[in-house]
Amino acid sequence: MLKFFQSAILESRFRFYLFIFAALFFSTGAAADKSISIADIEGKKYVLIDELIDVFSIEHSFDPVFQKGRLYYKSHYMVYKTGYSCTIIDNSIAGSDYPVIRWKGGVYLPLDLARILLENFYNREADVVKGKLVVKQDIQNDKKTPVKDRIPDKKEKIGFIIIDAGHGGKDPGAVGKGGVKEKTITLKLARKVEALLIKRKVNAKIKLTRTADRFIELADRAEIANRELKKDTNGIFVSIHVNASISSRISGFETYFLSQNPTNEEARKTAALENNVVILENPGSGKKKYGDVDYIEALMMTTQIQKESSFLADSVQKSLDKKITEFKSRGVHKADFFVLRGALMPAVLVEVGFITHKKELGYLKTDKYQEKLAEGIVDGIISFIAQYNELID
Ligand SMILES: [Zn+2]
């Protein structure tokens, strides 16, 4: 009887040690995968950022004014903005079908983006297992190829075209003899470009940043464009302006794309002229906003977007040159235009002519010449899209 009790105790002790041993083994070994819950919000799958940073030791900062957040882990980072479907992960653009949202006091990241984020930050496979997002911790699961390569490359078809009529409202832009305002000409041109794109049955959504004499801050113009970015849709941004010079003899049309190193002194002056509007924007907000797009700017300078923008600028300038015989082509230039900063897509600024040149101003005011300019811009856009879409097929 005693023997029986002793062996029972021994057996239970043995089971206890076995349990401890197993617990130790699994806690330090393969089974300690990290996971977070998946929320279903109006039929879409999300993860709560607060839970993500807790479980995965990720650092987070959020700017409630601009609804923009950053997530960091070692040398990795992600930048997101609520209401946006596209984010930046380690210098690449990663998109979802639906945007980052604020819901019941928390910020939620679309499940597919959370997965790309974790795979990139941890270099491990992230999977949905039993309704949770799980990152496998065992070494065998380490990625052989960098996850970065698996972020969808920015090679989506052009699905939308943003036409930006320069200036508007309290900002007239350049003013010519007889009180002709740049903002009036640019709006007329933007509408003509829109009508022509529709007439030519361009297979893309067309959107104007303004359709009336309205003031819009420069940074908001790029935001209007970025809001259209979806997982499989890229777009282009075309800003239309009229140039001015202290010399009344200078005439002609030119196209710009964004660069911090202007082509020449004239390009720098043109950019300074167009950027001047910043002082009309809400005091304080302007400076902060431009500081805030630093990361996008850095991205634009170093990636594909700048190459694509230069390609779009060439295409528009070439087509304009074919259409316009009255004035000369001044070519393609690089300059730092605030309105182009922050647009996460090929973006150009067209200066259609000089309001300070008597003869050119006469032309710029007429419907007929505006029609010709619009045709040139549209031809350039169409040929760019055709080549771009062909390249990515
Ligand atoms: Zn302008």
Side-chain angles (χ1 to χ4, degrees):
M1 204 58 176
L2 189 70
K3 276 233 156 125
F4 171 78
F5 270 111
Q6 266 180 339
S7 78
I9 288 163
L10 274 176
E11 198 181 327
S12 75
R13 248 190 212 167
F14 175 73
R15 271 202 217 127
F16 175 73
Y17 286 124
L18 189 69
F19 171 77
I20 293 289
F21 176 76
L24 274 172
F25 177 82
F26 285 113
S27 70
T28 53
D33 297 337
K34 290 181 176 175
S35 69
I36 50 167
S37 43
I38 295 167
D40 193 300
I41 302 168
E42 283 162 12
K44 295 184 173 83
K45 302 243 181 289
Y46 282 97
V47 302
L48 176 63
I49 284 185
D50 281 339
E51 197 182 337
L52 189 78
I53 59 181
D54 269 358
V55 174
F56 293 98
S57 321
I58 291 168
E59 282 182 72
H60 183 220
S61 70
F62 186 75
D63 181 338
V65 178
F66 298 104
Q67 295 289 307
K68 198 170 276 182
R70 292 164 195 237
L71 297 158
Y72 308 90
Y73 178 74
K74 292 182 179 168
S75 62
H76 302 283
Y77 74 93
M78 172 197 241
V79 186
Y80 67 86
K81 192 169 157 64
T82 63
Y84 277 43
S85 315
C86 80
T87 61
I88 299 166
I89 302 177
D90 293 351
N91 286 331
S92 296
I93 293 172
S96 172
D97 287 331
Y98 46 97
V100 179
I101 56 162
R102 286 201 86 165
W103 191 68
K104 293 188 175 173
V107 181
Y108 286 81
L109 205 59
L111 176 63
D112 50 355
L113 284 178
R115 195 168 166 169
I116 295 172
L117 167 106
L118 288 173
E119 295 197 335
N120 226 42
F121 279 23
Y122 278 85
N123 205 29
R124 300 265 166 88
E125 195 108 44
D127 274 315
V128 175
V129 182
K130 291 176 190 161
K132 292 201 145 209
L133 181 58
V134 179
V135 174
K136 300 248 189 289
Q137 296 295 300
D138 60 59
I139 301 305
Q140 268 100 56
N141 215 306
D142 261 11
K143 291 260 141 280
K144 299 278 187 295
T145 52
V147 179
K148 199 177 166 186
D149 296 344
R150 304 198 300 134
I151 288 183
D153 203 6
K154 204 171 164 47
K155 282 281 163 271
E156 301 93 358
K157 289 206 171 191
I158 302 293
F160 64 91
I161 300 162
I162 306 290
I163 307 298
D164 175 46
H167 313 276
K170 64 184 174 185
D171 167 28
V175 181
K177 277 219 171 87
V180 184
K181 295 180 181 99
E182 178 183 356
K183 67 172 183 179
T184 316
I185 298 172
T186 58
L187 183 58
K188 281 188 181 162
L189 274 169
R191 286 185 170 286
K192 285 188 164 67
V193 168
E194 181 192 30
L196 261 176
L197 285 167
I198 293 167
K199 196 176 155 196
R200 303 266 299 264
K201 296 191 169 64
V202 172
N203 187 23
K205 182 179 174 181
I206 301 146
K207 195 168 180 175
L208 267 58
T209 52
R210 67 179 179 99
T211 53
D213 184 15
R214 192 163 69 85
F215 181 74
I216 312 171
E217 295 197 2
L218 293 178
D220 292 340
R221 295 174 190 254
E223 289 223 12
I224 291 169
N226 289 346
R227 254 176 244 136
E228 299 294 325
L229 284 170
K230 298 280 173 321
K231 195 179 184 175
D232 303 309
T233 314
N234 199 355
I236 60 172
F237 182 85
V238 178
S239 189
I240 299 172
H241 288 258
V242 182
N243 219 336
S245 170
I246 28 169
S247 164
S248 59
R249 280 179 302 178
I250 293 177
S251 66
F253 50 92
E254 56 200 10
T255 308
Y256 287 86
F257 64 97
L258 183 73
S259 168
Q260 279 177 327
N261 310 307
T263 307
N264 51 35
E265 187 56 19
E266 269 185 284
R268 195 192 61 77
K269 276 188 188 149
T270 304
L273 188 77
E274 299 294 6
N275 293 340
N276 223 0
V277 63
V278 175
I279 53 167
L280 290 175
E281 299 183 350
N282 291 333
S285 78
K287 208 171 169 147
K288 175 107 174 60
K289 235 174 233 186
Y290 297 115
D292 213 39
V293 295
D294 280 353
Y295 74 94
I296 296 178
E297 229 177 286
L299 176 82
M300 289 193 66
M301 297 302 165
T302 53
T303 62
Q304 198 63 18
I305 299 175
Q306 201 180 15
K307 274 186 232 156
E308 290 169 358
S309 297
S310 121
F311 186 36
L312 175 61
D314 278 339
S315 186
V316 168
Q317 187 64 22
K318 239 182 246 164
S319 302
L320 273 171
D321 199 9
K322 269 188 208 153
K323 281 275 168 212
I324 307 294
T325 49
E326 295 84 345
F327 301 96
K328 71 174 175 65
S329 164
R330 294 170 55 82
V332 168
H333 305 283
K334 303 184 283 179
D336 188 8
F337 288 96
F338 290 173
V339 70
L340 301 181
R341 288 189 192 178
L344 293 165
M345 64 199 76
V348 297
L349 186 144
V350 191
E351 295 278 4
V352 294
F354 282 80
I355 209 164
T356 41
H357 188 275
K358 203 178 158 205
K359 186 184 164 203
E360 198 164 31
L361 172 61
Y363 272 83
L364 286 168
K365 287 193 290 187
T366 67
D367 250 4
K368 203 179 156 203
Y369 191 68
Q370 286 173 9
E371 201 68 46
K372 266 180 117 172
L373 287 167
E375 277 169 17
I377 294 168
V378 167
D379 286 349
I381 290 173
I382 289 175
S383 98
F384 171 80
I385 294 177
Q387 291 176 68
Y388 186 92
N389 286 351
E390 198 173 299
L391 278 174
I392 61 168
D393 260 345

